[in-house]
Amino acid sequence: MEPITYTGDKGYKLGDVLDKKVTMEEFVAQLSDEDLICIFRGEGMCSPKVTPGTAAAFGGLTPELQEFGIPAACCTDGPSGLRFDCGTRAFSMPNGTLLGCTFDLPLVEDLYEMAGREMRQNRVDALLGPGMNIHRNPLNGRNFEYISEDPYLTGWISAVQILGMEKSDVTGTIKHFCANNQESNRHHVDAVVSERALREIYLKGYEIAVKEGGARSIMSTYGPVNGIWTAGNYDLLTTILRGEWNYDGFVMTDWWAMSNREGYEATKTTHAPMVSAGNDVFMVCTDCSDMGQDDVKEALENGEITRGDLQRNAMNVLHFILGTPSILRFLDRISEEEKEAQEQMGDNDFVAADLVTYEADPATGDVVIDASAWNTKKGNSEVCGVTILADKMGTYDIEIEMKSDLEDLAQLPVTVYIDNIVKTMISIRGTKGEWIKETRDLGFFFGPNHYLKLYFGANGLELGKIRLKLREGMEVLSKHEE
């Protein structure tokens, strides 16, 4: 589209677009090139800017974008129920193939109406599902997520899932668009397919989900179709999806996807073709404001992509956000009943909105947590977020200051989880009031955002400081491998 002239900050907020005080074009005209590039990038996994343990955040991820009234929206896996990597519990849903076996559209819609309520309670705006790829090969490792070998059945089962979730103003993300029919070498295997087969088999289910289910979130695939990686495939994402099917939602990549310029191999930093093709959000990065992580800023400066391309993509994202509860939460327009429901997280160990995240010390790389106020009562758990420095990935130890006024015959076990996976058990005896330090191996940390959970198996324990300490960085580990 033609670029909208940059106006600078006119004081318009995204809520003004919701209230029809200004147009989306007037709002987007305020955003700088850097703002638009940041909207193109999602952050995750387990971003501390949205519901803990979820797959990604997108939208208002920088202070500048938040000043414009853009909230951070949240998505998480799917397709078999909500996935939380921090210990939050959720319903495990029947997988896609089982849903297809029912041939029962009202039943599936009712099931996903329940899923939509659960999403809304947990502040999740988009489920990363349903999975819609065709059962082309019985050995495909993700067939269980997908529905059928029949595109008509696949399309309608997926459509009613979307309709069920939309009753709570949340939605699903139909994926993987398209022809992602095997797991082996999925980043590189080229799906060579005729146009007739593509339209009659591999695209038909998506067309049904868009036209009959009102899908408004789509995920492209890792690999190429007929030589063009789908994340940057204009024919798929614009000509067919938007031009022929009149799709008006937004498109995201699969996590850490690649794209290519025609005739060239795809690379991890080639993202400009995604912008051109109408792939609105790259998922995911560590810091959306890092302008050196890909070729988008350079492509904008040399004219390969235009400001209009970025504005179009941003408007797709912002229109989506305006149809989600994230904007209502940001504007504090949800009902008191909904606020109460979100605070009552069932049997979960913590209230997601109150989770505290501790960031690494820039000087040492250590993450230091003050646990002196934690509730160590038997049967209780305490959870917090931890953010590791990007250049400090590697193996970590946990050091915990502990004491107990009990005698040395007492046994005080503590189970340590990282991202809801048991990493170690620490069991001490009563210390008669003296502080001690216990250190254990936590293993390898990849990616910046994680969750630490401690479960207490007995009464009488007190905690002081908890420290996550880098033992060996990635460069040391690489030398070991050599």
Side-chain angles (χ1 to χ4, degrees), residues 173-178 180 206 218-223 229-233 236-237 251-255 257-258 274 279-281:
T173 301
I174 55 178
K175 66 179 190 181
H176 307 84
F177 188 72
C178 64
N180 186 78
Y206 292 98
I218 291 180
M219 182 190 297
S220 54
T221 76
Y222 280 127
W229 269 252
T230 64
N233 192 315
L236 284 173
L237 304 183
V251 179
M252 66 180 75
T253 71
D254 207 337
W255 270 224
M258 303 183 292
M274 300 176 187
N279 207 325
D280 304 307
V281 176

Side-chain angles (χ1 to χ4, degrees), residues 213-247:
R216 55 194 178 100
S217 177
I218 291 180
M219 182 190 297
S220 54
T221 76
Y222 280 127
V225 171
N226 295 332
I228 302 296
W229 269 252
T230 64
N233 192 315
Y234 185 90
D235 288 341
L236 284 173
L237 304 183
T238 295
T239 302
I240 294 175
L241 184 58
R242 298 190 186 277
E244 297 183 15
W245 299 351
N246 296 316
Y247 176 73

Side-chain angles (χ1 to χ4, degrees), residues 109-129:
E109 184 172 347
D110 287 348
L111 179 67
Y112 275 81
E113 182 179 349
M114 183 201 75
R117 291 196 297 269
E118 187 178 35
M119 291 167 63
R120 183 119 188 196
Q121 180 183 7
N122 286 278
R123 305 184 186 190
V124 173
D125 302 295
L127 186 74
L128 299 177

Side-chain angles (χ1 to χ4, degrees), residues 258-272:
M258 303 183 292
S259 67
N260 70 319
R261 295 168 177 86
E262 190 167 3
Y264 294 85
E265 281 295 309
T267 72
K268 293 181 179 179
T269 58
T270 303
H271 295 172

Side-chain angles (χ1 to χ4, degrees), residues 75-95:
C75 57
T76 200
D77 290 326
S80 298
L82 296 175
R83 167 187 167 187
F84 297 103
D85 288 339
C86 59
T88 303
R89 288 186 279 273
F91 284 102
S92 177
M93 307 288 277
N95 65 34

